[in-house]
Amino acid sequence: MEKVIITAAVVGAEITKEQTPYLPTTPDEIAIEVEKASKAGAAIVHLHVRDKDGLPTQDKAIYRETIHKIKERTDIIIQVSTGGSIGMTPEERIQPVTLQPEMATLTTGTVNFGEEVFLNRPQDIRMFAKVMGDYGVKPEFEIFDVGMVNNALHLVKEGLVKGHLHFDFVMGVPGGIGATAKHLLHMVEHIPKDATWSVAGIGRHELPLGMIALPLGGHIRVGLEDNIYYSKGILAKGNDELVARIVRLAKELGRDIASPNDARKILGITSRE
Ligand code: KMH
Ligand code: ZN
C-alpha cells in the first residue's frame, strides 16, 4: 500500500491559548512546533497564522515570516489556508497563495460551521482556484460535505484545476458531514480512481477516522486545529504527540510513513528548490 502522508494542522483559526496552552501562535512558536511535528512524521503542515494578539489573520507578511522560519528548520510541504476564519473576505483569504507555497486549501462549497457560516460562493471558489493555478500552487480540496466533491470535480471540468487531484475530507464539523465510516466510504467512492484523499476528523473523531483511513489506503490529517485532546479530558501536549500516535498505528498496520519528498511524488508536486 502507498506510504501514508500525515498532515499536521498545527494552529487553525478557532482554537485559543485559553483552551490549550500548547497552541503555538507566534511565527517562532509555530516554526518550532512544525519542526517537532515534522520530526514525528508529518510530511505536510496545514498552516494558519495569528497576529500579535493571537487572533487569526491572513496577513501576507506574517505568513512570509512564518514560512521563512519553518523553512529554516524543515523541508516539510507547506500548505497555506485559504479558509482563514469565518467572516474574512475572499481577498483577505487568498493573500498567502501569492507567496507561492507548495500547496493551499480550497474549500469547494458553503457549510454551516457551528453557529456560523463558512461562506464559499461559486465565484470565490473559482477565484481561489484561478489564483492557485496562476501561482503554481497545488490545491487540496477541503470537503466538509458530500456536495463539495461534485463542486470540486466541476472545477476540474472547467479547467480551473489541473493534474493530480487530492481531497481532504473534513468530518464532524457541526453543520458539515457526520464523522462516520459510511460517509467516508461514500465520499471515497465518488472521487476519481487516480485521486488521493486524506481524512481530518474533528474532535474525538480524529483518531477513529484516522484508524479507518489506514487500511483503506487513505492519508491522515491530525493536529490542534482539529482536536486538542490526546484522549478524553487529556490535552495533547503538542501536535507531535498526535502525529506520533498515527505513525505508531500505521507501522502496526504495515504502512510506511511518507517523507515530504515521498509526499511530493504521491501528490505530483514538482519541487521548486
Ligand atoms: N477556519 C475554518 C473556517 C482551511 O483552512 O482551508 C476554515 C478552515 C479551512 O480552517
Ligand atoms: Zn484550516
Side-chain angles (χ1 to χ4, degrees), residues 7-228:
T7 298
V10 295
V11 188
E14 287 79 28
I15 301 296
T16 64
K17 285 232 198 235
E18 284 67 48
Q19 289 171 284
T20 173
Y22 303 109
L23 185 77
T25 55
T26 67
D28 282 308
E29 286 173 353
I30 293 172
I32 291 167
E33 188 71 8
V34 173
E35 183 182 22
K36 280 164 58 191
S38 150
K39 282 192 173 142
I44 302 176
V45 56
H46 169 66
L47 187 65
H48 289 253
V49 296
R50 303 293 179 97
D51 66 15
K52 288 203 163 41
D53 299 318
L55 297 172
T57 176
Q58 290 292 97
D59 184 85
K60 191 170 164 180
I62 300 181
Y63 264 102
R64 184 186 289 113
E65 181 186 354
T66 310
I67 289 171
H68 178 74
K69 287 178 189 283
I70 292 172
K71 284 189 172 171
E72 282 178 338
R73 292 172 174 273
T74 160
D75 77 332
I76 197 165
I77 297 171
I78 296 175
Q79 176 196 86
V80 299
S81 168
T82 65
S85 71
I86 302 290
M88 287 180 176
T89 65
E91 291 70 30
E92 267 179 284
R93 286 166 51 184
I94 196 66
Q95 293 177 80
V97 172
T98 62
L99 295 168
Q100 294 192 287
E102 289 182 284
M103 293 182 83
T105 52
L106 177 56
T107 301
T108 50
T110 291
V111 63
N112 285 354
F113 200 86
E115 295 303 311
E116 302 184 282
V117 178
F118 181 29
L119 184 66
N120 294 286
R121 301 176 305 172
Q123 62 267 41
D124 302 330
I125 298 169
R126 286 197 187 93
M127 182 275 280
F128 289 142
K130 164 110 184 38
V131 175
M132 287 180 208
D134 290 348
Y135 282 87
V137 176
K138 183 181 180 69
E140 172 181 280
F141 294 123
E142 298 300 296
I143 306 296
F144 288 74
D145 214 334
V146 67
M148 292 191 196
V149 174
N150 271 345
N151 296 346
L153 297 178
H154 202 72
L155 290 178
V156 178
K157 260 202 199 127
E158 290 182 347
L160 281 165
V161 176
K162 299 192 176 85
H164 172 84
L165 304 179
H166 183 61
F167 293 78
D168 181 44
F169 302 120
V170 185
M171 304 183 70
V173 169
I177 197 162
T180 70
K182 263 193 174 177
H183 284 324
L184 177 61
L185 286 175
H186 179 68
M187 292 194 289
V188 170
E189 278 167 12
H190 283 81
I191 63 172
K193 291 281 163 280
D194 55 356
T196 49
W197 60 273
S198 65
V199 67
I202 302 301
R204 68 184 189 282
H205 304 296
E206 183 173 84
L207 179 59
L209 285 173
M211 289 175 73
I212 292 167
L214 282 171
L216 292 176
H219 304 285
I220 301 171
R221 170 172 130 174
V222 292
L224 299 181
E225 171 168 348
D226 301 335
N227 165 44
I228 61 174

